Every structure is written in C-alpha cells, then in structure tokens.
Amino acid sequence: MLTDIITGALREHGDAPAVADRHTTLTYRELDAAANRYATALAALLTGRDRPRVGIQAANSADYVVAYLAALRAGCVPFLIDRAAGPQETEGIQRGCGLDLLVHEEATPVPGHGTRLAAPGSLRVTRFPEMPDRPGLHRETEVCRFTSGSTGSPSCIEFRGEAVYRAAANWAEGTGISAQDTIVCFASLSNGLAFNTSLLSTFLVGACLRLGSGLPTAGAVTRTLRDSGATRLIGFPALYESLVRNGSGPGPLPGLRMAISSAAPLDPGTKRLFEESTGVPLQNYYGIAEAGPLTFAADPRTDPGLGQALPGVELRAGAAGEPGVVSVRSQSMGTRYLNAPGVLEQRIDPDGFYRTGDVGRLRDGSLVLTGRTSQVINIGGRKIDAVEVSTALAGAPGVDDAVVLEITDRHGTAALAAVLAGAPDLDPAAPRRYVAERLAPYKVPSLVRIVPRIPRGTSGKPATAELRRLFDTPQDFQ
Amino acid sequence: MTASPDHIRPHLVRIVLSSAEGDLTEQDLAAADWSLPQVSYSSLAYIRMIDTVENELGVYLDPEEESDHFETIDALVELVCRHLREEQAADA
C-alpha cells in the first residue's frame, strides 16, 4: 500500500525538489528513478526470501531516503534502526527481528556473521543468513521502528502501511504543510519526531525535505536554514538550546514560519529567547512511538498546552485539578511488538485506547502534561531504558550492583547518572567503557558515583532521593 | 586570537572540561590519551563545546564535514588553529 501511495506522490510532483542533503538534491522525478534502481539492486540481493527484512542504520541523507523507498518498492519491510546503536544492540536487533539485510555506513559496527555485498550509492549493504525460526511479521506490517522499551532491550513496533500513511497525512493536514514548504530536519529519520513530521508527510504534499546530519550546533543549523530557505525546522531541544547559547539567539531567519521541538522538556527560557530572537513560534511536538503524532497547537505562544488532537486522534486525560493518565486512540497506531509478543496489546484498553506513560489534563481541548507514570529516562529527547543500562553496568567487572537515574547537571540539563556498588578503588571510567562497547553512546552515564552498597527501602527499591544527593556536589572520578 | 597550538590548547581543554556534564578532569583526559570518545564525551557536551568554541574564538566548526577532528584534543587544536589562520589570512 505504501509503495503505491509514495510512487503516486513522486510522480505527481515531478521536477520539484524532493529531498536534499549537504551534497545532493533530488527532484521527485530523480528520487523516483533512484529508488527504482536501488529496488532492483535490493531485489537481486534477496532472491528467494519471503518479505525480506531490511534494516537501515545510517545518518540522515538523500541516500537514506532512497534506500527506504527502495526497500518498500522491492517488497521488503524496512526496519529503521537508531544510527547510534552499539554493536551489541545492532546484533540483538538483527537476530531478534530476523533481519535479512542491513543498509549501513562504512563505520557502522555490523554483526560479524553477515556478508558485505556490493551496492549502489554511498551506503553499504550486509546480508545475513536466513533465519527459519525468526518471529513472524503481522500480515499487514509494512514498516518497523524501535522504541526504547522498559524491559532491558528496544522493542520493535510493527506498523501497517495504513498507519504510516495516516500518521503522515494527518500531520500534513493538521499542521498545514504545503508544496511551498522546505522542511529542515535535524532529527534522525529513525526517530518518531522525524519519521512522522518529515519523511512521508513532506512527499505527500510535494514539499522539500532538507536533511541535516551531524551535531545540531547553532552554527550548522543557522547555515542550513539560511542556505535552504527553510520554512519549517524540526529538531530536539538541544538544537534550540544551542541556537540561544550565545545569549541573544540566532536573529531573524527569513522565511522560517514554524519550529518544532520534540516533547522532551524544553526550557521555557530557551523557548522564549528563540521566539523573541526569530519571531518564529516554537512548537512542542507530542507523539508516542506506538501511536504516532498526536497534537498540534495552532499558536504555541498562546496555547495552554501541547495543542489540540490532530485529525484521526482521540485523547483522554484528566480534568482541571484531577490529572489522569493520557490515553490515545489514533489512526496511526502500531500493531504490536515483533520481539515482545503481547506487551503492546496489554496497554490497549477494550475501547482501543493506548495508555501512555504520561499524566495530564485537557484544557479547552489542549493537552497539558503534568507528569509521568513510567520511569523512562529522557535525555535531550532520547528515551533511555534504565533497566537496560543498569543491567549492562552490573555486568562490568568489579560492579556488584547498579542504579541508573536522570539528574539535572550543572548546565541545568537532564543527564544520565549511575550509582555503582563496588570496592572503593573501582575506577568509574572502567564500567563506562564497558557500557560504551555494548550500547549506544547516549546510554553511557555521564556521571558516576561509587558506593559500598546501593541503599534500598524495605521493598527492595533503590532509595532514589538518597542516590540523587550523591550528585549534589561535583566530584572527580575517584 | 593567536593561532598557535601552545596558546589554543589550554583554552580548548578548559572549554572541553566546562562543557561536560560534570566530573571530567584534565587528568581523566590525559589518562585517555586526550581522546573524547574514550571518556564517553556525550553529544550534548559536544554541542556545548562547539558552540563555546564558536562564541569565544569566532571560528566555525562544521559537525557534518569535520567531525573526524573532534575525537582528540590534538586534532581539535589543529583544526581550530587552521581555521584561525585561514581567517587571519582572509582579513589580511
């Protein structure tokens, strides 16, 4: 289904610019042709395999988009994998989801049991042996993406083609994207923020997607915006913090009409300074990996919350004075977790509403978040499963026990911290290196404290207030 | 700003340390052969560091094209000095 929709969009918009990166700009016609060529190459590499599963793990680029569209066109199911995933994580995903092929960069730590093959474009391709006992895909699944999970490893969400299409179409309609837009996206395409706000939604309306890669520093973002004539900017809070770090903001950005940040907490001072400096409203995106984009504020400068439900979205939450768990029913809902059977279904009530981990209320129809029920850590828009990181830390030599928590660092920013139980002479750098060899860099705690034992309450839960106090005073690594 | 490595290096080390979340010391960096990945320097710290270099030294560091130079203090010093020399030559 997606293939037909995307092909229709590519052929409708012809010679308009479709996607660009630092070095390449492809019109819709060129993107269509490039995807065709790549699809032919992919099909030749996967002869005889049923609904081949193609992982894509790479930085944002025009070639990434070509590979994604080609995988769909070749009858494959693309799995969009965080580029930052560590070697152990990538191998776990490949084996747990039964990937046939991985499209990746030269530097990607590819599982060793794969075979490197020749492929067109700048990206590399590695093929893996067939796995007859791999988990079966739902018959309607067309795309898979990952969420941080809460049980020790990323969960793979299966999406129907209709759900992917509705997420994009509802976002485009609800936020008013038009063919005149140029959308600059610095969020990784594997992330829901980029996937839902930028990828397919851009192509449905004939707009242009300018992809940023690399760190979103103020200098890089400002240059990209000015060079591309951007009308929309998509990025994580760190991007906006960078833009105002000089104390005065980037100044007027002609043509820019809208800026969107992920739902990770955005410092109100950052938001105010950005808006005052640029005159551009800064919108908080609210979406859930499992349910797609959910709200939009027509004017974020006056909206009391995260905005109204997008088309195709129904929200339930508490009322004034009585916040409640936010539940959502959307047309863009994931079907299930490929590698965690039954877990997603357990979070959907009999009416089809998915229970998010957020608590909030509806005020004049706008969603106002007031807290969370889950313990997922959010560092700059990246969700981190504390169980996954503490399990990895506890496996390091000399570590008897580990607790991972989110703290506010000396810059006033959320940071990942760990308290480790071990001997006084345990070098905190060693367990950090141990984790760095296994998990994505952003899952390595920035701050570490060593204690003889983890203080726990009578129920066995870590005494987090006591643990947090360990970070009140900066310390050198012991 | 003088574009000599001896002058720039302590300046950059100070910026690198102050941009980290906390804890990181010059001794830690030295023990890691002045490698930022070896001390698991976070992406948020990198962004703060690059912003500060740009704001204090007035040189643009390109995260897309020059990230290979961000891995060690030595490479970073070389890159910043090169940019400073280029700017000084352009001004002359």
Side-chain angles (χ1 to χ4, degrees):
Chain A
M1 176 211 175
L2 275 180
T3 302
D4 294 341
I5 289 170
I6 295 171
T7 300
L10 298 185
R11 292 181 181 163
E12 181 183 347
H13 303 296
D15 292 321
V19 63
D21 58 26
R22 176 79 163 262
H23 303 289
T24 306
T25 299
L26 297 176
T27 65
Y28 278 84
R29 194 183 312 282
E30 291 166 337
L31 179 58
D32 188 28
N36 250 353
R37 287 193 297 274
Y38 206 98
T40 303
L42 278 184
L45 300 176
L46 292 162
T47 306
R49 300 207 186 185
D50 179 43
R51 292 177 79 196
R53 304 176 189 184
V54 175
I56 304 176
Q57 185 180 7
N60 286 357
S61 69
D63 278 354
Y64 184 117
V65 176
V66 169
Y68 171 68
L69 300 185
L72 290 168
R73 198 168 281 189
C76 306
V77 176
F79 286 63
L80 306 189
I81 302 170
D82 187 349
R83 181 204 188 200
Q88 189 172 293
E89 293 168 298
T90 301
E91 179 155 359
I93 286 170
Q94 188 278 318
R95 291 187 187 278
C97 299
L99 298 187
D100 294 288
L101 208 69
L102 185 67
V103 178
H104 57 89
E105 297 168 322
E106 184 66 39
T108 304
V110 178
H113 61 288
T115 304
R116 186 74 72 93
L117 304 169
S122 63
L123 298 174
R124 307 289 178 254
V125 170
T126 296
R127 184 172 60 200
F128 300 99
E130 287 194 78
M131 291 176 58
D133 57 346
R134 66 185 180 181
L137 285 168
H138 189 278
R139 60 186 163 76
E140 291 184 285
T141 295
E142 294 193 43
V143 176
C144 289
R145 293 178 38 242
F146 293 85
T147 183
S148 58
S150 56
T151 55
S153 61
S155 299
C156 175
I157 314 168
E158 295 184 57
F159 288 96
R160 294 174 298 116
E162 174 73 15
V164 173
Y165 166 66
R166 290 310 327 172
N170 292 341
W171 176 261
E173 178 192 343
T175 70
I177 306 178
S178 77
Q180 281 68 50
D181 275 314
T182 293
I183 298 162
V184 166
C185 179
F186 270 87
S188 169
L189 289 170
S190 63
N191 184 281
L193 174 65
F195 185 78
N196 289 320
T197 66
S198 305
L199 190 51
L200 181 53
S201 54
T202 300
F203 301 147
L204 288 179
V205 301
C208 178
L209 176 59
R210 168 65 167 90
L211 293 166
S213 68
L215 294 168
T217 61
V221 173
T222 306
R223 281 168 169 77
T224 304
L225 292 173
R226 294 201 164 123
D227 292 348
S228 64
T231 57
R232 284 190 182 203
L233 171 62
I234 312 284
F236 288 110
L239 179 154
Y240 298 100
E241 287 160 11
S242 178
L243 283 172
V244 303
R245 187 160 288 124
N246 62 4
S248 58
L253 296 165
L256 193 69
R257 292 187 294 106
M258 184 185 299
I260 294 167
S261 175
S262 79
L266 179 67
D267 173 56
T270 298
K271 183 177 187 314
R272 179 180 46 76
L273 190 50
F274 176 86
E275 291 179 339
E276 285 175 359
S277 170
T278 63
V280 177
L282 176 49
Q283 174 97 215
N284 265 311
Y285 168 85
Y286 182 62
I288 299 288
E290 290 83 352
L294 301 175
T295 66
F296 181 76
D299 186 350
R301 288 170 291 200
T302 57
D303 195 285
L306 295 165
Q308 314 282 323
L310 285 164
V313 174
E314 297 168 81
L315 292 171
R316 287 178 179 168
E322 262 187 288
V325 172
V326 177
S327 298
V328 55
R329 184 164 66 185
S330 76
Q331 296 174 343
S332 46
M333 202 93 90
T335 311
R336 61 182 190 179
Y337 296 134
L338 176 63
N339 54 356
V343 174
L344 177 57
E345 294 86 331
Q346 286 169 7
R347 301 190 71 172
I348 297 175
D349 71 17
D351 294 335
F353 279 77
Y354 173 82
R355 288 187 298 279
T356 73
D358 295 314
V359 175
R361 59 190 166 86
L362 292 169
R363 182 175 161 192
D364 300 330
S366 180
L367 180 64
V368 179
L369 295 184
T370 56
R372 285 189 61 79
T373 60
S374 71
Q375 297 301 312
V376 170
I377 292 172
N378 189 339
I379 306 293
R382 284 190 178 277
K383 308 289 194 307
I384 297 172
D385 176 7
V387 175
E388 181 184 25
V389 180
S390 58
T391 301
L393 283 165
V399 176
D400 301 325
D401 196 0
V403 173
V404 171
L405 60 163
E406 178 182 324
I407 63 156
T408 300
D409 70 11
R410 58 181 171 164
H411 303 284
T413 305
L416 191 64
V419 180
L420 308 179
D425 61 349
L426 175 63
D427 176 7
R432 295 172 82 232
R433 280 198 299 273
Y434 183 86
V435 173
E437 289 165 3
R438 288 159 176 78
L439 303 181
Y442 67 87
K443 295 178 184 174
V444 180
S446 298
L447 299 128
V448 174
R449 299 287 181 264
I450 309 292
V451 295
R453 63 176 182 79
I454 302 289
R456 293 181 184 273
T458 51
S459 66
K461 284 188 176 177
T464 48
E466 192 175 334
L467 295 176
R468 283 183 197 287
R469 281 198 291 275
L470 294 171
F471 298 93
D472 287 348
T473 309
Q475 289 180 7
D476 295 343
F477 284 137
Q478 297 107 346
Chain B
M1 177 63 67
T2 309
S4 88
D6 288 346
H7 185 80
I8 292 296
R9 187 182 179 90
H11 200 135
L12 279 179
V13 169
R14 177 185 61 74
I15 292 173
V16 165
L17 297 180
S18 64
S19 299
E21 282 76 5
D23 285 357
L24 185 63
T25 67
E26 192 164 346
Q27 291 72 32
D28 298 321
L29 271 175
D33 288 333
W34 304 95
S35 162
L36 297 180
Q38 283 296 310
V39 295
S40 297
Y41 205 65
S42 73
S43 57
L44 294 180
Y46 265 114
I47 295 172
R48 281 190 289 265
M49 182 269 283
I50 294 169
D51 287 343
T52 308
V53 168
E54 292 180 5
N55 290 336
E56 289 190 9
L57 302 179
V59 294
Y60 171 55
L61 303 182
D62 187 338
E64 209 165 337
E65 300 289 324
E66 299 176 331
S67 60
D68 288 350
H69 296 267
F70 301 168
E71 297 212 339
T72 66
I73 294 293
D74 292 341
L76 199 52
V77 169
E78 184 188 329
L79 177 68
V80 170
C81 287
R82 174 157 58 85
H83 281 314
L84 283 170
R85 283 194 300 272
E86 287 166 357
E87 297 220 345
Q88 287 164 0
D91 290 343

